[in-house]
Amino acid sequence: MSFSEFDNPLWPLWAQVSRPSRYSGSEWRFSCPDDGEEKKEDSDALKICLAFPDVYEIGMSYYGFQLLASFLWKISGVVVDRVYCPWVDMERLLRANSLSLTSIERSLPLSAFDVVGFTLQHELGYTNVLTMLDLGGIPLRAESRDDRHPIVVAGGPGAFVPEPIAPFIDLFCVGEGEAVLPRLLASLKKTKTRLDALMACASLPGVYAPGFARPSYGEGGVVFDASASPMKLPVRRQFLASFDETPPPDTIIVPSVGIVHDRAALEVFRGCSRGCRFCQAGMTNRPVRERKAETVVSSLLDLARRTGWEEVGLLSLATCDYSAIDRVIEDLAPHLVEEGIHLSLPSLRMDGFSVTLAARLQKVRRGGLTFAPEAGTQRLRNVINKGIDEESIFTCLNEAFSKGWDRLKLYFMMGLPTETEEDLDGIVHLAQSAIRLARTHNRRRASISISVAGFVPKAHTPFQWERQNTVEEFREKGRRLKAQIKDKALSLKYHEPEQSFLEGALARGDRRLADVIETAWRKGARFDGWSETFNLRLWFEAFEECGLDPADYTRAREQDEALPWDIVDVGITKSFLWKERCAAYAERLTPDCREGCSACGLNCDIAAPKAMGL
């Protein structure tokens, strides 16, 4: 259903930019809704453009964006299009030629849509949101828009901490799109004016209309007044009670060029029961809801056969925790082997069971294995409630090397709460022990890649009150680790500390940061998650000009402090999170939810997903 390249007003610019395939729309969609053409011609249809604030190959690799598009295509009276953030070379050309950013399918400027919906996957994409609004002909600030402009909606993980970007967004969808969007779109279709639309949507469950919430700041934190609107605060996250409520996507877009995760993928379950204390997704996506094994097998085979991808993936926060994983692999394996399709398990637990699963798939193609011990010592793994012990780690490594793997990648964090030099050095010691173990198995070509990220305290987690390390502290810790790497079989990379610092400031920010974001953007901040374009100096200048200190946002918080993200209720109580923080400092583990309820605040039943309410 893609239009010809000559219908795209941007095609004369393609020869002047890197990767023109980002803008060409040369794609395949193996299944289209029957009423697609009718909806396109229906003047009463609600026109939605899904916007991803990063380049095409990143956005196309994000399963949630594909899932959302497939879900919306099935809604009657809705026309769906997509747009991705242009790279800096294309932005320059668009501005130089006075051209608008246009959508992929219909080549329409963003201002021509009724709704523009952003997926906020990461804090370092916020300046890209402003780029897309500006290039699309939409005023940056919601207060400057009128009935001529689209309603700007945002969802995804960023909606759980909406305040830093709130002045640029009309409506936030808090929770899972399948649970929030049908009611939201129905309300938008019934209303004629912007104010009527915002008022109607503000009364819906899971919708945050920031224009109706007035923040005030004091010594006790931030408080909100929404008394002049129908919105009830805090806004409660919405989620599907059962995965059976929404079928797997039967419409998927296949790019004609390579993307970051170049494969067909299927989500096997949502949520996580492990309770890692640093993990925002593990807290905000509770409870666990699984897809039926027979649905996974039939849908994944159908995806592979109809798209032509040579790799398929099973997605979740912890795929090895999927209760039907054995059955799914057993049923899939013969078909995949026969058809030469590789099955990837991107989230492996660090135990022998995970390696055994991977070994069962090696008949198709063998690659490296990736694990995330997260911390270098058992003490610190207990602090973060990682739930793996030293014995499990080395059982896993032993299994991997004995089954023929030569390449391993290990993920760690530095700057975790209570971290000591011994914990930090433990990262290298663990990797050194692993390479020695490999040599006992005669894995002479064995190599271990160590990746270390700076810990960023996230909202709605037990560590949301913690202080974040400074840029200098992160850099010194990274250098300390690098200095200890002597063995050529080991390599170590650590995440840019400047980017971790900015991420931390935005991840626990309030509405005052919107001025900083806009100022940094006007100074030229773009693609802050990309090392080749990131410039922290611009951000420090923006903070100074706005009269704010970034250290105020990376500082420790008080237990009774009113936090900017308290305006969102993810279902996990603040008292539970504080209890978990206390357990962390006591180095005490909290068991997996499947082993016993820890009373986090959700009314759920892991053993009976259908019983879970919204």
Side-chain angles (χ1 to χ4, degrees):
M1 200 166 73
S2 293
F3 281 56
S4 163
E5 62 187 36
F6 299 105
D7 293 313
N8 190 319
L10 306 187
W11 76 266
L13 308 180
W14 294 348
Q16 305 174 59
V17 299
S18 60
R19 301 201 182 190
S21 56
R22 290 168 169 165
Y23 317 103
S24 66
S26 302
E27 305 164 321
W28 291 268
R29 190 177 302 151
F30 73 69
S31 174
C32 294
D34 294 336
D35 61 346
E37 293 304 315
E38 292 180 13
K39 289 200 290 187
K40 175 190 159 193
E41 298 170 2
D42 182 2
S43 60
D44 294 328
L46 193 70
K47 298 191 294 295
I48 300 175
C49 188
L50 298 178
F52 196 90
D54 212 320
V55 292
Y56 176 87
E57 58 267 32
I58 300 293
M60 280 294 290
S61 299
Y62 178 47
Y63 177 80
F65 199 66
Q66 285 261 28
L67 181 66
L68 188 60
S70 175
F71 175 77
L72 291 176
W73 275 322
K74 298 173 187 175
I75 297 180
S76 178
V78 172
V79 171
V80 184
D81 210 328
R82 294 166 295 128
V83 68
Y84 305 88
C85 190
W87 188 246
V88 290
D89 54 359
M90 177 59 90
E91 180 189 350
R92 283 194 293 267
L93 287 172
L94 289 174
R95 296 190 186 282
N97 291 276
S98 300
L99 292 172
S100 293
L101 177 63
T102 59
S103 63
I104 292 288
E105 268 90 4
R106 291 167 180 79
S107 300
L108 294 176
L110 302 195
S111 58
F113 288 88
D114 301 308
V115 179
V116 175
F118 284 94
T119 295
L120 303 179
Q121 183 65 10
H122 196 272
E123 295 87 353
L124 298 186
Y126 288 167
T127 52
N128 289 351
V129 172
L130 302 194
T131 298
M132 296 173 77
L133 289 173
D134 189 54
L135 290 175
I138 302 171
L140 297 185
R141 299 271 177 161
E143 63 187 12
S144 300
R145 299 171 196 145
D146 55 34
D147 291 344
R148 297 170 298 171
H149 300 119
I151 300 292
V152 178
V153 181
F160 296 134
V161 188
E163 284 299 288
I165 201 171
F168 312 116
I169 306 297
D170 294 309
L171 300 169
F172 286 92
C173 292
V174 181
E176 295 171 1
E178 303 100 322
V180 180
L181 284 172
R183 287 176 289 199
L184 176 71
L185 299 181
S187 291
L188 291 176
K189 288 173 68 175
K190 292 176 183 177
T191 53
K192 299 300 182 183
T193 69
R194 165 174 288 269
L195 180 59
D196 288 345
L198 297 180
M199 289 290 283
C201 292
S203 66
L204 297 175
V207 176
Y208 176 45
F212 297 135
R214 303 299 177 189
S216 58
Y217 307 94
E219 291 184 2
V222 58
V223 294
F224 294 87
D225 178 16
S227 58
S229 78
M231 185 169 56
K232 295 181 180 179
L233 300 180
V235 176
R236 187 171 177 85
R237 172 181 68 105
Q238 300 294 293
F239 59 92
L240 297 177
S242 167
F243 231 15
D244 293 331
E245 291 184 37
T246 176
D250 58 6
T251 302
I252 194 168
I253 304 164
V254 183
S256 60
V257 296
I259 56 178
V260 175
H261 299 303
D262 209 357
R263 61 183 178 229
L266 186 70
E267 191 179 17
V268 294
F269 74 85
R270 285 185 190 170
C272 182
S273 60
R274 294 196 165 264
C276 295
R277 293 174 181 135
F278 61 85
C279 182
Q280 186 184 63
M283 296 291 168
T284 59
N285 286 297
R286 293 183 177 198
V288 171
R289 291 144 294 157
E290 293 192 347
R291 202 179 291 286
K292 293 178 180 177
E294 54 268 28
T295 303
V296 171
V297 172
S298 61
S299 298
L300 203 60
L301 287 174
D302 188 52
L303 279 172
R305 290 164 178 165
R306 297 175 71 182
T307 62
W309 257 303
E310 296 177 348
E311 181 175 337
V312 293
L314 301 178
L315 300 184
S316 73
L317 290 176
T319 304
C320 290
D321 288 342
Y322 178 44
S323 63
I325 188 69
D326 269 328
R327 177 185 166 189
V328 165
I329 290 179
E330 183 177 348
D331 291 350
L332 280 175
H335 300 284
L336 299 181
V337 170
E338 180 181 350
E339 299 174 34
I341 299 171
H342 173 59
L343 175 63
S344 68
L345 299 174
S347 48
L348 290 178
R349 202 169 58 229
M350 200 157 196
D351 57 21
F353 174 71
S354 297
V355 178
T356 299
L357 284 179
R360 291 169 62 183
L361 303 173
Q362 69 179 5
K363 298 174 185 176
V364 179
R365 189 173 79 214
R366 183 196 301 261
L369 290 180
T370 300
F371 299 102
E374 307 291 4
T377 64
Q378 190 58 46
R379 187 201 71 81
L380 195 51
R381 285 191 289 274
N382 290 347
V383 167
I384 64 177
N385 204 47
K386 183 60 182 175
I388 54 172
D389 56 26
E390 205 85 6
E391 182 180 354
S392 297
I393 289 175
F394 283 97
T395 297
C396 171
L397 295 173
N398 191 64
E399 283 286 303
F401 295 130
S402 67
K403 287 180 165 57
W405 269 276
D406 289 317
R407 293 182 292 114
L408 298 184
K409 187 169 188 176
L410 302 178
Y411 280 102
F412 297 91
M413 286 183 286
M414 58 182 174
L416 285 162
T418 80
E419 180 186 75
T420 65
E421 290 184 352
E422 181 182 352
D423 298 314
L424 195 64
D425 295 343
I427 293 174
V428 177
H429 296 161
L430 196 157
Q432 290 170 335
S433 297
I435 205 69
R436 285 195 295 268
L437 181 61
R439 287 164 181 159
T440 67
H441 289 277
N442 292 319
R443 314 308 308 174
R444 295 184 180 87
R445 293 174 15 184
S447 64
I448 294 178
S449 173
I450 309 163
S451 180
V452 186
F455 167 67
V456 176
K458 294 286 187 173
H460 307 296
T461 72
F463 292 152
Q464 66 179 0
W465 293 275
E466 300 301 319
R467 169 188 172 272
Q468 181 178 326
N469 281 190
T470 64
V471 171
E472 293 73 21
E473 287 172 325
F474 276 139
R475 185 176 291 116
E476 180 57 35
K477 290 178 179 182
R479 289 170 178 166
R480 179 187 179 95
L481 290 171
K482 275 232 170 187
Q484 297 180 60
I485 302 297
K486 308 295 183 183
D487 194 320
K488 292 183 179 179
L490 299 177
S491 62
L492 185 144
K493 293 182 180 179
Y494 60 92
H495 193 264
E496 293 292 336
E498 292 84 359
Q499 288 174 304
S500 296
F501 177 76
L502 178 61
E503 179 187 345
L506 297 176
R508 292 188 294 168
D510 55 40
R511 195 172 299 193
R512 292 173 293 187
L513 282 184
D515 291 340
V516 177
I517 293 170
E518 183 175 347
T519 301
W521 175 79
R522 293 192 183 281
K523 288 177 172 293
R526 300 291 191 275
F527 289 96
D528 296 297
W530 294 67
S531 58
E532 58 262 51
T533 51
F534 178 66
N535 186 341
L536 187 62
R537 177 183 56 80
L538 300 178
W539 284 92
F540 279 137
E541 291 175 359
F543 271 103
E544 184 175 0
E545 290 180 20
C546 295
L548 294 173
D549 184 351
D552 286 341
Y553 294 96
T554 58
R555 64 176 173 85
R557 307 304 208 269
E558 299 296 328
Q559 179 184 358
D560 58 353
E561 186 172 343
L563 303 168
W565 53 91
D566 287 344
I567 201 167
V568 169
D569 177 7
V570 299
I572 308 297
T573 65
K574 211 170 177 181
S575 60
F576 168 78
L577 296 177
W578 184 262
K579 184 180 73 173
E580 279 295 285
R581 180 184 183 274
C582 294
Y585 277 83
E587 301 172 19
R588 189 171 63 246
L589 293 174
T590 297
D592 189 305
C593 292
R594 296 175 193 258
E595 299 172 9
C597 180
S598 55
C600 70
L602 280 176
N603 180 21
C604 66
D605 183 354
I606 295 295
K610 289 185 179 180
M612 298 179 223
L614 297 179

